[in-house]
Amino acid sequence: MHPAIAIALSVMPENEGSARVVGSVIREEDGAVAVVVHTDQWQYIVVILREGDRWLKPGVIIGGVIPTQGRLETNFPTMPLAQQSGDIRSSVDNDFMWHAVGGTAALDAVSVRVLTTLESCHPQIGDNGLVLALVRAQPGERPLVTITTRDGREESDYHED
């Protein structure tokens, strides 16, 4: 088990039952890992960062209810990912933010793109629809999530503030 995943499991509240990893993104060369952990009742998306040779425990973790609804045929046109949530951590040197974005892709989704002004990625869609991405972003920036459906439609979560 990767040391950052072990740390993510170690910070789960003890009164919530057994914790299990359901997804992870490891960016070893960048010193950042995103982990999705389920306890008996809650889902947590946690970002763990490395400083030198040491993986750091996050000071705060925030959980949400585990999605119980099955994958929808489509999320279009309301949202790219159902039950979208995430975690944000300042980089160790505070030059940028790490954003973990997770959610459930609908059955008609064939690809996902997560974009910031610093980088983009195309996370895999798991058999259960789970999508997890870990990207760098400018402070105050929110990643743009876009899905492409089987029939070529694109849906993003962009909203002007």
Side-chain angles (χ1 to χ4, degrees):
M1 177 182 300
H2 191 280
I5 292 174
I7 287 173
L9 288 170
S10 77
V11 299
M12 293 297 117
E14 292 180 17
N15 63 340
E16 292 186 13
S18 62
R20 61 200 174 284
V21 174
V22 295
S24 66
V25 174
I26 298 172
R27 293 184 56 164
E28 189 72 39
E29 67 283 354
D30 295 318
V33 174
V35 185
V36 179
V37 178
H38 283 184
T39 63
D40 290 344
Q41 296 179 355
W42 300 100
Q43 171 176 280
Y44 296 87
I45 298 178
V46 183
V47 174
I48 307 292
L49 302 177
R50 185 182 63 223
E51 184 172 39
D53 293 336
R54 197 181 70 162
W55 292 94
L56 307 173
K57 275 189 177 182
V60 175
I61 59 169
I62 299 172
V65 176
I66 294 173
T68 56
Q69 178 179 359
R71 288 175 72 187
L72 301 173
E73 182 59 38
T74 186
N75 291 338
F76 193 83
T78 58
M79 68 194 97
L81 297 174
Q83 297 97 26
Q84 186 171 316
S85 62
D87 187 24
I88 303 169
R89 300 273 178 235
S90 290
S91 63
V92 172
D93 56 11
N94 293 316
D95 285 346
F96 58 88
M97 305 297 289
W98 282 106
H99 278 262
V101 178
T104 305
L107 293 168
D108 68 343
V110 294
S111 70
V112 178
R113 182 181 64 166
V114 180
L115 173 71
T116 69
T117 57
L118 298 179
E119 64 184 4
S120 69
C121 70
H122 289 85
Q124 295 293 312
I125 300 172
D127 292 339
N128 61 356
L130 178 66
V131 173
L132 180 62
L134 181 59
V135 292
R136 289 180 258 223
Q138 298 287 347
E141 181 181 18
R142 187 171 144 254
L144 175 69
V145 178
T146 303
I147 59 105
T148 302
T149 62
R150 281 190 297 264
D151 61 5
R153 292 176 296 165
E154 287 191 346
E155 176 67 19
S156 70
D157 64 352
Y158 174 76
H159 302 283
E160 282 194 47
D161 294 330

